[in-house]
Amino acid sequence: MAEPEPFLRSDVAFLGEPVVGKVRDVYRHGEDLVIVTTDRLSGFDRVLGGVPHKGQVLNQLSEWWFAQLEDVCASHLIAVPDPNVTVAVDCRPIPLELVVRGYLTGVTDTSIWTRYERGERDFGGTTLPDGLAHNARLPTPLVTPTTKAPAGHHDENLDHDEVTGRGLLDAATWDRVREIALGLFERGQDLAREGGLVLVDTKYELGVTPEGELVVIDEVHTPDSSRFWTTASLEAGEPENLDKEVVRRWYAAQGYRGDGDPPPMAPELVADMSRRYVSVYERLTGKAFEPAAQPAGPRIAAALRDWAS
């Protein structure tokens, strides 16, 4: 069966104009947010193309993870009226992205391995020893915060002291945020291991509800926000990625590292990424992936009209 065309743009006019991000279209309904996850794939701070089923995988996988992590930290999730849609509490995001790293890896200029290879040893206030190998497990998971840069700009790495020194968070909140991030990562690694995967690193976003509760927002432990290796490949000495790192490496092989207009994704890369995203979903959840009816746009609009009525 031929793959469907990627779902690149939502059209839910009765909810008004969306705020369009790299991957998600966000609408407002009363006091809540309606978040439509598309098949757009981003990298190098821009949209590179579309991957069939990607939006459904991200949305349904985040729903699954929110349930698994609820005792570590609650989430913004209210309802999932369609496989590509999350209705969420409108939270005030904290002004940080929380990158938690378990391994010394990466290929981009800002990756922890590239920086380590250049001679950097201090990462978010933690000093790593000399002599660590590429893809080595870190002595302890690192919380490396970054700023949340506006569109078109790059995030800035922060030391832990800068978080409070710049007034981004007070000391008590920052301590709690780090505790949550490490707790989420530990649970994520445990559950990934059950599915034959290694959760290598990830990015969390937290927000504050109108009642003042810290919750997980956006997405969690997806192939967009996280790096996954298969356990078997790591044990064999050559980690196999099931995430966006495959795309980054493909672009690097084309000589593209973020400057100028990117070349289009090759059809075989698009098909390969669709398979990898679905594989992560099935390995983690233990369930067969069931593609939703296509085309996605009319289905989503009908589901949201029913939900909002």
Side-chain angles (χ1 to χ4, degrees), residues 93-129:
I94 67 168
L96 298 173
E97 289 188 349
L98 301 160
V99 181
V100 183
R101 307 176 189 274
Y103 289 79
L104 191 61
T105 192
V107 297
T108 66
D109 290 341
T110 57
S111 74
I112 188 171
W113 167 248
T114 304
R115 293 162 58 196
Y116 183 87
E117 199 175 28
R118 286 198 301 254
E120 291 185 46
R121 293 295 180 267
D122 186 76
F123 296 91
T126 298
T127 301
L128 295 180

Side-chain angles (χ1 to χ4, degrees), residues 24 58 62 66 203 216-222 224-225:
R24 291 169 177 80
L58 296 189
S62 286
F66 287 146
K203 177 185 71 176
V216 186
I217 63 173
D218 194 44
E219 62 183 332
V220 63
H221 297 160
T222 73
D224 262 18
S225 65

Side-chain angles (χ1 to χ4, degrees), residues 4 25 31 38 41 44 86 88-89 95 121 127 132 142 184 191-192 218 220 224 239-240 265 277 282:
D25 299 341
E31 296 182 351
T38 73
L41 187 143
F44 309 100
T86 287
V89 178
R121 293 295 180 267
T127 301
L132 295 179
L142 303 181
L184 294 171
L191 292 178
D218 194 44
V220 63
D224 262 18
E240 176 193 8
M265 295 173 63
Y277 275 77
E282 293 184 334

Side-chain angles (χ1 to χ4, degrees), residues 21-213:
K22 293 187 184 75
V23 176
R24 291 169 177 80
D25 299 341
V26 182
Y27 299 82
R28 181 173 295 280
H29 180 75
E31 296 182 351
D32 302 325
L33 300 179
V34 176
I35 305 170
V36 181
T37 307
T38 73
D39 291 337
R40 299 191 293 263
L41 187 143
S42 68
F44 309 100
D45 294 318
R46 64 193 73 202
V47 175
L48 301 174
V51 172
H53 308 304
K54 173 178 177 286
Q56 181 182 346
V57 166
L58 296 189
N59 196 66
Q60 291 188 315
L61 191 53
S62 286
E63 178 189 13
W64 183 84
W65 273 115
F66 287 146
Q68 311 308 310
L69 300 168
E70 190 171 16
D71 62 320
V72 179
C73 184
S75 76
H76 67 170
L77 178 67
I78 295 174
V80 179
D82 178 90
N84 284 70
V85 179
T86 287
V87 179
V89 178
D90 185 9
C91 299
R92 173 176 57 82
I94 67 168
L96 298 173
E97 289 188 349
L98 301 160
V99 181
V100 183
R101 307 176 189 274
Y103 289 79
L104 191 61
T105 192
V107 297
T108 66
D109 290 341
T110 57
S111 74
I112 188 171
W113 167 248
T114 304
R115 293 162 58 196
Y116 183 87
E117 199 175 28
R118 286 198 301 254
E120 291 185 46
R121 293 295 180 267
D122 186 76
F123 296 91
T126 298
T127 301
L128 295 180
D130 294 335
L132 295 179
H134 189 216
N135 296 331
R137 184 166 187 149
L138 294 169
T140 186
L142 303 181
V143 179
T144 55
T146 72
T147 60
K148 297 177 73 170
H153 295 76
H154 295 292
D155 296 337
E156 177 187 355
N157 295 312
L158 297 171
D159 287 336
H160 286 205
D161 290 344
E162 290 181 292
V163 173
T164 53
R166 293 189 186 187
L168 298 173
L169 294 176
D170 62 69
T173 303
W174 176 225
D175 286 345
R176 176 58 180 149
V177 163
R178 281 184 292 175
E179 179 185 30
I180 289 171
L182 289 171
L184 294 171
F185 191 68
E186 181 180 8
R187 178 67 58 79
Q189 286 194 311
D190 288 345
L191 292 178
R193 192 176 301 114
E194 293 179 9
L197 296 175
V198 177
L199 175 60
V200 178
D201 51 41
T202 193
K203 177 185 71 176
Y204 301 117
E205 295 199 42
L206 301 182
V208 181
T209 68
E211 293 75 32
E213 181 184 9

